Every structure is written in structure tokens, then in C-alpha cells.
Amino acid sequence: MGVDRSDYLVYGWKFPYDRCIIDTYYDEGFDEKIENQNEYVLVTDGMLGEYVVFGKLLSYADGYDGWEFIDLNDYMQKYPDISTLYSAFDQYTGSKINEVLVKHNVSPEPKTFLFSHFS
């Protein structure tokens, strides 16, 4: 059994692992919709159950090639306005972002996350 690593640069929110978000997302087939758009991602830590990250995908690198040099200032121009991000969360997860933010005590202001995800 191997472990794959993917690296993400995402503008959005990091939540504790929450089955409610994940179940609706996969039950409704939203994963295909998001992959086809290659715009928003829902990254779930299925190995350790530590996080769920949702947001605008700014950049992605697989575990083989890794990151090239990127100017993070260029990516700041790709940030959607907050209402677009809120709507995308509601649409793709079937959950209401305001309810999830309150439930997990997460700031409503999106953040930029650079992280490695193992699967």
C-alpha cells in the first residue's frame, strides 16, 4: 500500500473533520461537478480525520513534480469575492456556510492555505 501526496494552495476555510459536510457532498455527486470545473475543492482528511478544507483552488501540485517557483501575489488576483465563495460552499456541499462556520467556531473571513494532503 502506498501513500500519495498532493499539494494545494486554496483560498477558503479549514474545518474540523465533519461527516455532515462530506456525506452531502459525495451523496449528491458534487465531487464530479467540482473536478470538472477545476475551480473549487473539498479536501477531506480520510486517513486521520483531522480536517476538511473547502475553497477556491488557486494552485495544485502532485507529489511527484512538487511546486515550481510561483509568485503568490499573482494568485491574490484570483481570489473570488466572499459572496461568491459563500455561494459555492452552499451549492457544492449542500450545507449552509454560515451554519457550519458557527458550528465549528471558524472565522467567516476566508484564508489562504498552502498544505500537503496525503491519501
Side-chain angles (χ1 to χ4, degrees):
M1 179 176 120
V3 175
D4 292 321
R5 187 191 91 221
S6 300
D7 301 318
Y8 293 88
L9 179 60
V10 175
Y11 177 67
W13 300 277
K14 177 180 171 272
F15 303 102
Y17 195 79
D18 184 336
R19 290 293 319 173
C20 293
I21 298 171
I22 298 163
D23 288 346
T24 303
Y25 172 80
Y26 287 110
D27 289 347
E28 300 298 327
F30 291 129
D31 54 331
E32 291 178 16
K33 184 184 284 188
I34 291 175
E35 287 175 19
N36 291 338
Q37 289 184 355
N38 199 26
E39 192 168 331
Y40 295 97
V41 293
L42 180 77
V43 183
T44 61
D45 180 15
M47 292 180 75
L48 299 175
E50 292 185 358
Y51 59 84
V52 174
V53 174
F54 177 85
K56 168 95 168 135
L57 179 63
L58 301 175
S59 190
Y60 170 85
D62 65 33
Y64 299 103
D65 296 330
W67 294 101
E68 294 186 20
F69 283 93
I70 57 175
D71 183 344
L72 293 177
N73 291 323
D74 291 342
Y75 287 96
M76 300 196 56
Q77 296 172 9
K78 296 181 181 181
Y79 288 1
D81 65 69
I82 195 165
S83 63
T84 301
L85 199 55
Y86 272 49
S87 295
F89 182 91
D90 293 352
Q91 177 186 0
Y92 294 126
T93 67
S95 299
K96 298 293 182 198
I97 184 63
N98 290 325
E99 295 171 8
V100 177
L101 292 169
V102 170
K103 177 181 177 181
H104 294 295
N105 195 28
V106 173
S107 170
E109 190 65 33
K111 296 180 180 175
T112 304
F113 297 98
L114 175 63
F115 64 100
S116 295
H117 174 73
F118 298 89
S119 58

